[in-house]
Every structure is written in C-alpha cells, then in structure tokens.
Amino acid sequence: MGNTSSMLTQYDIEEVQQHFSQQEIVSLYERFCQLDRNGGGFVSGEEFLSVPEFAVNPLSQRLLTMLDGLNFKEFVAFLSAFSPRATVQQKIEFIFKVYDSDGNGKVTFNDMLDVLHDLTGQFISEQQREQVLTKVLEEAGYTKESLLVMSDFVKILGSSGLKMEVEVPVD
Amino acid sequence: MNSSEGKLKSSSSELDLDRPNIEDYLPSGSSIQEPHGKLRLRDLLDISPALTEAAGAIVDDSFTRCFKSNPPEPWNWNVYLFPLWCCGVVFRYLILFPMRALVLTIGWIIFLSCFIPVHFLLKGNDNLRKKMERALVELICSFFVASWTGVVKYHGPRPSMRPKQVFVANHTSMIDFIILEQMTAFAVIMQKHPGWVGLLQSTILESVGCIWFNRSEAKDREIVTRKLREHSQGADNNPLLIFPEGTCVNNQYSVMFKKGAFELGCTVCPIAIKYNKIFVDAFWNSRKQSFTMHLLQLMTSWAVVCDVWYLEPQNLRPGETPIEFAER
C-alpha cells in the first residue's frame, strides 16, 4: 500500500487531474499498477483482456485499439470521459472516437455498421443490419454515403441525456 | 425493451439487448413499412451502456478483488496499547519463534530419519511402505501446524479412502494442504515451485502420489487430465485433493471453480477452509511474497486459527454438464 503512493507525486496527480479528485486518482493509480503486471509502466491489450468482465464486453476489441499500451496519464485521460464531472461534449467525443476507427475525424456507414455488428452480431443478419441502419439514417436526414463528423454526433446525441458514468472506488 | 405492437413481424425473438427492439423495424417480405418513429439514429448510435460496463470493468472488477490482500487495519493506537504491542512483538519474535523453529527442526529430524530408511529399505514391500510414508507425512504436517501453533477445528466426517472420489477445497495459501494433510494423507495436484519447496515436492510428496503441473506448458493440461483420471480410478490410491480455483484467493470471496475438477466423473466432496482473521491473515499473495517469507511470517504471528468443514459429497446430476456442476 505504502509503496504505490510514494511513486505518485503530487505533481503527477495535478498533471492528470482533469475530472477526478485526488483520492480517485490515487485509487486509479493502484488499479493501474494492478493491471500492469509486468511493471513496465504501461498496460498492454492483453493485460486488459485478463479482466474477465472486460473481455466479455462486445466492444472490447474496439476499445482495445484505444487502450493498448497506455501509460498512466493516458489511462486517466481515457477514463475521464466516464467521470460524473465530465461534460456531455466530452462524452460524445469519446463515443465518436470509438466509432471512428481510423481516426480521421469521419465516421462512415461501415464504421457504424461494424459497431452494430459487435453489439448485435448473433441476432440479426448483416443484410438486416444494413437495412435498419440505412433506414434510420435517411430518417435523420443522412444518406448511406454520408460521413458523419463530430458536430453531427453532437447534434444527434446531445439532445437527450447521456448516461455514461463510472464510479471509482475509493477505500 | 420497447416491444411495440409492430406491424412488422420479427424474425427471431430472443433479443436480449438493453435497447429499443430493432427487429420491430425489420421488413417482412419485401416491403419496408413506416417505422414507428421510436428508433432513431440517436438510439442506434448510443453505445454508452456497453462503454460504461467496459469502463466499469477496467476500473474495478470482482475477479481481481478476490486477489487483493487486505491491508492490515491500523490498530487504535494509544498510550496503553503501544507498549503492549511492543511486548507482543518481542515475545513473538524472540520467544515464540525460536521455540517453533525448534519444534519444526525436531520434527524434520524425526521425519527424515524415519522416511529415508523406509523409502530405501522397504522398496520391495510397496504396500507397507506406502502406509508408513503416509503416516510419516501426516506426522510432519502436524509438526508444521504445531510450529505455527495452529488451532484447527475439523467439522464433519473424515474423508475415507474410496475410489472415484475427488476432494475440492478453496485455497488461501500453501499451508492449506498441510493442514488438510495432517488429518488424512491426500494426493494433491499442485504447481511446481522453485527452490527448496520444489525439492520437497519431488521427493517426499511423491510418496503420497501427487500430481504436478506446469502452468506455462500448453500440452500439460491433457497429460494432467489423464493422470487425474488414472489416479482417481485406482482403488488404493490416496484420495485426490484439488483446489479448483487454480490459485490462492484471499479467503473472502470464492472464485468460481474451474471446471476441470468436475469433469472426472467422480463424486466430489467439498471441503471449506476458513481462517480466523483476528489472529493472522493467512492469505499468501504469491506475487508479493515467497513461500519462505510467508512461513516465517506465520511463525512469528500468534497463531493460525482455522476451521475446516467437510461438506456433503455431491454427484453429477443426470444431464448436468461439468460447467453447471462447477457452478453449484
């Protein structure tokens, strides 16, 4: 217990402190050290997968591309979107990043289809998924070829309440 | 969730998602009809529940919680307690510990002086040798337990030597099996450890018929499964003890048992070991401490108090798969 806090200085805490309290950052650091088995200072994708509750999540593969090789600062930044103090804008940005797999700032039809596939894969066929997605897109004023950008996402998701919060256990 | 009276008939119906029912909008036949307006792009794109679960798992999960060693609770320090505690420390380290080390050494001397001759001289007479070795192993385990001033209470009927029986127990530390061995000599399945413990394992424990495995070898699983099967079928082999959790758990939660123990088609007799936390925390965090350190720590504590419960034997119910059996 004692040796983990001494490796985390006050300066470090302030550097990463965006939305988390001091206590939460200390807890997160412990958690980070727990996950980082080989002590290299960063958590690899495999180490994340060793958490069974994460591995069974349908979006785990997509999240892994964002999570692989994170150091502690990036780890906290990743989780800051889930803090109750994060703004809706930040949460939407996070969701956008999950969709935008190639990171070019545009979400394509296929990106959305892929995420839908991750979530619903066994239950409906590919063709049905495409149909549903096309229909719903058209209804919202887009087409199959549209490339959605961040502001579109804000428009779509921003209006209703977005619940995306995680509580950091503080002992 | 929102199953509305759709004019559109859905294909399959076991959609268990926490979201509006997409299938209400799937076209039946070839015509696409007007959606009810409930499913919007917003709903499709909102993946926040899944993300929240993933982040929740990253931040804390119940599986890892089983492996945290609990930090010792700070005592209420005040003027009176502190000197008492100091005296306690002195007593433990300077008086109790040498006594226990002495007891342990005597035990080892006796054990070795009996074991080695028995092992070599009675090579021809296997049965007798096995019996004597069993008794000796039980003896040395009693010595071990005494060296920590172990107070063990056994509840329930003692296990008997019957074929097709497998024992499973929860596992908090290496000493678990020593405590159990004291009562009856079991054959255990364990991981090979480096150091002097490994030496012990290969020589002495061989006599009670233990099975080794190496987690790092992939093929090992099949070999081990085969050996397990052979062992449990043999009528005069020592009863087999397995720790299905696969590793040491901190005695507060019970990790779901791995199914291997339950595939053997034998009667499973569960054993529960519960340590009394007031006296000592017996959890062995094998990543943090080596076994020797752990032993020393135990010897310098006051006592190891635990309860061992022998529970009712369970059988595989007809039609139950091994996985379901394990979950019970």
Side-chain angles (χ1 to χ4, degrees), chain A residues 31 34-35 48 51-54 57 59 63 67 75 79 82 94-95 98-99 112 115-116 119-120 123-124 128 131-133 135-137 139-140 142 156-157 160-169 171, chain B residues 11-12 14-17 19 22-23 25-27 32-35 37-65 68 71 287-288:
Chain A
R31 177 70 177 170
Q34 233 178 33
L35 290 171
F48 276 111
V51 177
E53 287 172 19
F54 178 78
N57 191 294
L59 294 177
L63 287 175
L67 283 172
F75 181 69
L79 289 175
F82 294 90
F94 186 88
I95 296 183
V98 175
Y99 273 97
M112 292 189 276
V115 173
L116 267 184
L119 288 173
T120 65
F123 299 111
I124 42 184
Q128 288 168 335
Q131 279 173 336
V132 173
L133 190 56
K135 187 82 195 102
V136 171
L137 271 176
E139 200 190 303
Y142 299 98
I156 300 168
L157 293 171
S160 37
L162 203 59
K163 298 240 75 187
M164 203 165 89
E165 273 166 29
V166 152
E167 195 188 302
V168 179
D171 36 37
Chain B
S11 31
S12 73
E14 286 116 46
L15 205 54
D16 196 19
L17 296 177
R19 51 201 282 126
I22 302 184
E23 296 178 319
Y25 299 91
L26 292 178
I32 300 182
Q33 304 189 17
E34 271 297 312
K38 276 204 188 143
L39 183 66
R40 289 188 213 94
L41 189 56
R42 185 229 173 277
D43 302 311
L44 269 191
L45 288 183
D46 184 7
I47 50 175
S48 54
L51 289 181
T52 315
E53 275 177 27
I58 295 178
V59 166
D60 188 21
D61 72 303
S62 42
F63 186 68
T64 317
R65 238 183 276 149
K68 268 199 337 210
R287 285 180 228 146
K288 288 197 176 158

Side-chain angles (χ1 to χ4, degrees), chain B residues 60-114:
Chain B
D60 188 21
D61 72 303
S62 42
F63 186 68
T64 317
R65 238 183 276 149
C66 290
F67 296 94
K68 268 199 337 210
S69 17
N70 289 322
E73 284 165 15
W75 289 31
N76 257 329
W77 294 122
N78 57 32
V79 191
Y80 303 106
L81 220 37
F82 190 63
L84 267 185
W85 184 79
C86 284
C87 290
V89 170
V90 166
F91 185 65
R92 274 171 20 205
Y93 278 85
L94 296 183
I95 302 179
L96 273 191
F97 178 59
M99 277 197 326
R100 287 173 177 172
L102 193 62
V103 166
L104 195 59
T105 332
I106 294 179
W108 272 109
I109 296 176
I110 298 180
F111 176 71
L112 285 173
S113 55
C114 295

Side-chain angles (χ1 to χ4, degrees), chain B residues 175-242:
Chain B
I175 65 176
D176 277 347
F177 106 90
I178 297 185
I179 291 181
L180 289 176
E181 284 280 320
Q182 190 197 358
M183 272 292 269
T184 1
F186 288 106
V188 200
I189 170 166
M190 307 205 258
Q191 184 178 23
K192 262 231 146 85
H193 286 265
W196 62 272
V197 185
L199 183 63
L200 263 189
Q201 286 178 327
S202 20
T203 49
I204 298 171
L205 297 175
E206 204 72 28
S207 64
V208 286
C210 293
I211 301 176
W212 309 116
F213 67 89
N214 215 330
R215 261 192 206 117
S216 38
E217 285 170 29
K219 276 246 127 199
D220 209 47
R221 282 193 100 205
E222 297 158 26
I223 307 177
V224 170
T225 326
R226 197 173 28 91
K227 281 199 228 169
L228 279 180
R229 230 179 268 271
E230 281 169 23
H231 188 105
S232 45
Q233 307 292 343
D236 56 350
N237 277 331
N238 293 325
L240 187 61
L241 176 64
I242 300 183

Side-chain angles (χ1 to χ4, degrees), chain A residues 12-130:
Chain A
D12 293 329
I13 295 184
E14 280 165 18
E15 242 190 289
V16 299
Q17 191 168 20
Q18 292 171 284
H19 300 287
F20 294 112
S21 71
Q22 183 113 336
Q23 288 275 45
E24 287 171 335
I25 300 228
V26 172
S27 292
L28 281 178
Y29 188 71
E30 267 173 47
R31 177 70 177 170
F32 182 80
C33 293
Q34 233 178 33
L35 290 171
D36 178 16
R37 301 259 183 83
N38 57 5
F42 58 90
V43 184
S44 69
E46 270 170 30
E47 285 165 338
F48 276 111
L49 277 180
S50 70
V51 177
E53 287 172 19
F54 178 78
V56 301
N57 191 294
L59 294 177
S60 56
Q61 287 305 318
R62 273 193 108 85
L63 287 175
L64 275 180
T65 56
M66 296 164 72
L67 283 172
D68 198 11
L70 288 186
N71 64 23
F72 181 60
K73 214 166 127 180
E74 293 160 354
F75 181 69
V76 175
F78 178 87
L79 289 175
S80 57
F82 294 90
S83 152
R85 294 177 211 96
T87 66
V88 178
Q89 172 88 3
Q90 283 162 327
K91 294 188 202 275
I92 299 180
E93 269 175 25
F94 186 88
I95 296 183
F96 187 82
K97 269 191 266 181
V98 175
Y99 273 97
D100 182 18
S101 46
D102 49 10
N104 60 358
K106 302 196 191 27
V107 170
T108 67
F109 183 79
N110 281 325
D111 285 331
M112 292 189 276
L113 205 58
D114 284 339
V115 173
L116 267 184
H117 173 82
D118 283 338
L119 288 173
T120 65
Q122 315 134 270
F123 299 111
I124 42 184
S125 76
E126 190 69 18
Q127 198 199 12
Q128 288 168 335
R129 255 194 298 274
E130 273 195 43

